[in-house]
Amino acid sequence: MKKTNNLLETKLRFAAERLRAKTGFSVRNLKTGYSFSYNGGIPCHAASMIKLPILSCFFKFLKEGKLSPSDKIKLSEKDMVDGGVLSEMHDGLELELMDLARLMIVVSDNTASNILTDILGIDALNEHISDIGMKNTSLVKKLMLPPSEPGLFNRTSADDVSLFFNRLYFEDLVSPEADREMKSILSRQMFREKIPRRLPLSAFIANKTGEVSNTRHDGALIVYGTAAYSLCVLVWDAEDVNDADDFISEISKLIFDDFTV
């Protein structure tokens, strides 16, 4: 199996050194076994990347029979936070749990994420995060709410997110059936300006973005022809968030061009 790729790694490091921000990224070629990590183990603010293990924990609860996808909740004004569409809906709107899971990913709805966090429980979520091998990831608070103490926020790393998509590709994250459904949901994610931006529309891309203040993230599973790989690029402390988006799409294109020749 190919274990090194000096030319690609030189290009990736050069791009990272030009960026006016901190970054960590992690890539694994799921066909050859080649992998490369640049600051991939450094934890940073997770933003909406934390929704990935919330999604898989939800599907774990479905598998174990603790919840049903058709279980219903009524939307309450007290649960509404900015980000997504549910904060625009009326109090008392009835939703199925699967509606919440899809909204949490497809439009990155923060209200949906927080309701699922309450249902699953923060302790159960962190146990699941540990069980699936995300060593630098932790959920300490719901989204868009102040922390219980200054500087406390949800964390993740590029290596952890890449691992999530590795396991999703091989369908050993929750179960083959659940993992296929999660891939389908993630492939319908509407924010495509980062990893997918410069890639062919015909590529299968299941991704999740994250944004907060000067932080811009994206993680994905990409399948194109005979190529399949996971990629996560995290950018924080960015001087210009538009540059951060451009950087993520540049890293994505460099890797795509190398892996699909």
Side-chain angles (χ1 to χ4, degrees), residues 221-241:
L221 168 65
I222 299 100
V223 180
Y224 183 77
T226 60
Y229 59 98
S230 65
L231 172 63
C232 177
V233 188
L234 307 181
V235 179
W236 64 100
D237 292 347
E239 291 185 21
D240 186 322
V241 293

Side-chain angles (χ1 to χ4, degrees), residues 49-57 105 128-129 132-134 137 156-174 179 182-183 186 206 208 219-221 230 232:
M49 308 306 285
I50 201 67
K51 294 169 184 175
L52 291 168
I54 296 175
L55 180 70
S56 59
C57 188
I105 299 300
H128 172 71
I129 287 167
I132 63 178
M134 299 178 77
T137 301
T156 197
S157 70
D159 285 348
D160 278 5
V161 175
S162 186
L163 171 69
F164 180 95
F165 283 104
N166 296 345
R167 296 195 61 175
L168 193 64
Y169 174 76
F170 290 111
E171 298 180 355
D172 70 348
L173 189 59
V174 174
D179 292 358
M182 284 188 278
K183 280 187 275 191
L186 286 157
K208 182 72 197 78
L221 168 65
S230 65
C232 177

Side-chain angles (χ1 to χ4, degrees), residues 85-152:
V85 298
L86 288 181
S87 61
E88 302 294 331
M89 302 296 110
H90 67 270
D91 186 76
L93 176 69
E94 190 171 75
L95 295 155
E96 294 186 356
L97 296 188
M98 187 59 79
D99 295 332
L100 295 175
R102 290 170 177 159
L103 287 168
M104 176 178 69
I105 299 300
V106 175
V107 297
S108 202
D109 194 283
N110 291 327
T111 298
S113 173
N114 287 353
I115 294 171
L116 286 175
T117 296
D118 283 337
I119 291 169
L120 300 169
I122 286 180
D123 288 344
L125 282 162
N126 281 310
E127 181 179 353
H128 172 71
I129 287 167
S130 177
D131 287 346
I132 63 178
M134 299 178 77
K135 298 177 182 178
N136 299 305
T137 301
S138 59
L139 192 156
V140 298
K141 61 179 286 295
K142 292 190 290 185
L143 299 175
M144 305 302 293
L145 297 179
S148 58
E149 56 186 81
L152 198 64

Side-chain angles (χ1 to χ4, degrees), residues 14-83:
F14 181 69
E17 289 164 3
R18 296 196 322 267
L19 181 68
R20 295 174 299 164
K22 296 175 183 176
T23 185
F25 50 86
S26 181
V27 59
R28 177 175 290 273
N29 188 318
L30 300 168
K31 294 298 182 76
T32 69
Y34 165 79
S35 65
F36 178 67
S37 177
Y38 179 96
N39 293 335
I42 297 178
C44 65
H45 197 308
S48 285
M49 308 306 285
I50 201 67
K51 294 169 184 175
L52 291 168
I54 296 175
L55 180 70
S56 59
C57 188
F58 170 68
F59 273 89
K60 177 176 178 284
F61 272 47
L62 296 183
K63 177 189 173 186
E64 293 171 348
K66 296 177 180 177
L67 297 171
S68 166
S70 60
D71 287 345
K72 293 180 173 60
I73 62 101
K74 285 189 176 180
L75 185 63
S76 172
E77 190 172 351
K78 66 179 176 59
D79 294 322
M80 295 180 186
V81 294
D82 289 341

